[in-house]
Amino acid sequence: MRHVVLGATGHVGSALVSALLARGEAVTAVTRDAGHAEALRRQGAAIAEADVFDVPALRRAIEGAQRLFLLNPPAPPDTDTSAEERRSLRCILGAIEGLPLEKIVAESTYGAQPGDRLGDLDVLYDMEQALAEQPVPVSVIRAAYYMSNWDAALAGAQGEGVVESLFPGDFELPMVAPEDLGRYAARLMFGAAESSGPHYVEGPERCTTADVAAAFEAALGRPVRLVEVPPAQWEDWFRRAGFSAAGAASYAAMTRATLDNPARPAAPERGSVSLKDYVAALVRRQAG
C-alpha cells in the first residue's frame, strides 16, 4: 500500500511517517523544502517536494497513492492567516479532485465550527464539509490542543520563570502530543476504506494551563509561574509574537471561541504521552 503524507516534516506528519515506515509501508513524504526531510529520507521515505499553492506539483506528488494523509498547513503568522489557510485548502482540494484514492485521513481540530476568521476553527470545519462531499472515503481526526504549542514557552520559563497563557489557570484544555496523533493517524491509514469520525484524540488526562507551568517547573527544577494575559491584550500579544493585525484578530477570536464553547468530548481516543512527560522531553532536547 502506498501512503502519501502532506505536511510530512511537521510535528504530526513526521510522527505519522515514522509510524508507517516502522510497519514496512511505502511512504511518500510531501514537503515544501526537501532539505528539511533528510531525516525522513534516512528512515526510508520517498520525498516529494511541492508547494501547497502549486496545484499541478501537488497533484503529481499525490498521484499513484492509495491512502492520503491530508493536513492543511498553518499559514505564516505575518500573513492574513485566515485568507492564506483558505487559499491553501482550495489548492489541496483542487489537487486531489478526481484522483482514485482509496481513503483520506484528514487532520482537523477540537472546536471546529462554522464561522468567519476564528483562527483555524472555521477553516477546518469547512475542510471537513468539503471532504464529506467528495467521493473518496474520509476519516477525520479532531485533534486536541497540540502540546507542541507550548514549545515557545520554554524560553520564558527558563529565563524569567514565567509561562504566559491566554487561558485562565484553571481552564481545562484538552491537549495531545504530536506523537500520539501520528500513531493514531497510522491506525486510520491502515483501517477499512470507509468514512468514519470525527475521531477526537487527546492525551491520557485532561490538564489546565496551570498544569503547564507546573510541568515546566518540574522539568527545569526551578519555580515557574503562570501569567494570564487579559482579553484586552490578546491581539497585542499575538502581534508581539509576529502575527499580522489580521492574523492577531483571527487568533484572538479563536481563543474567545475556545473559552466560550470548550470542546470536551465524553469518550475521546487517548494517547499515552502525558503533558509532564512531553515537557520533560522538550527540556532534555533543548539541553542536548
Side-chain angles (χ1 to χ4, degrees), residues 127-145:
M127 177 197 73
E128 293 179 5
Q129 301 308 301
L131 290 174
E133 292 174 0
Q134 53 83 56
V136 179
V138 179
S139 290
V140 171
I141 296 173
R142 283 192 172 181
Y145 190 84

Side-chain angles (χ1 to χ4, degrees), residues 216-231:
F216 276 104
E217 181 170 290
L220 293 169
R222 62 156 296 172
V224 176
R225 61 189 177 91
L226 184 77
V227 173
E228 182 184 342
V229 180

Side-chain angles (χ1 to χ4, degrees), residues 41-204:
R41 190 193 307 275
R42 288 196 297 270
Q43 291 181 53
I47 308 300
E49 189 173 77
D51 189 291
V52 70
F53 298 116
D54 185 342
V55 175
L58 190 59
R59 187 177 180 88
R60 288 193 297 272
I62 299 170
E63 283 178 337
Q66 294 164 286
R67 305 288 172 102
L68 171 68
F69 179 73
L70 192 162
L71 185 149
N72 191 40
D78 60 350
T79 66
D80 182 339
T81 54
S82 289
E84 285 295 283
E85 289 178 13
R86 288 196 175 280
R87 186 163 75 97
S88 62
L89 176 59
R90 288 194 299 271
C91 290
I92 293 171
L93 294 173
I96 66 173
E97 185 175 0
L99 291 180
L101 295 162
E102 289 182 0
K103 185 178 184 180
I104 297 169
V105 175
E107 177 94 352
S108 185
T109 185
Y110 273 39
Q113 60 189 272
D116 183 45
R117 294 184 171 273
L118 299 175
D120 63 2
L121 302 184
D122 56 309
V123 176
L124 294 177
Y125 175 84
D126 289 347
M127 177 197 73
E128 293 179 5
Q129 301 308 301
L131 290 174
E133 292 174 0
Q134 53 83 56
V136 179
V138 179
S139 290
V140 171
I141 296 173
R142 283 192 172 181
Y145 190 84
Y146 290 2
M147 292 179 188
S148 54
N149 289 338
W150 296 107
D151 290 6
L154 177 57
Q158 286 180 314
E160 291 81 43
V162 164
V163 169
E164 292 185 329
S165 172
L166 279 62
F167 301 109
D170 61 354
F171 182 69
E172 190 177 75
L173 181 66
M175 305 181 213
V176 66
E179 304 97 301
D180 281 333
L181 287 172
R183 285 191 284 265
Y184 190 75
R187 286 172 53 189
L188 292 177
M189 294 284 275
F190 280 105
E194 59 189 27
S195 294
S196 65
H199 302 270
Y200 290 89
V201 184
E202 61 182 83

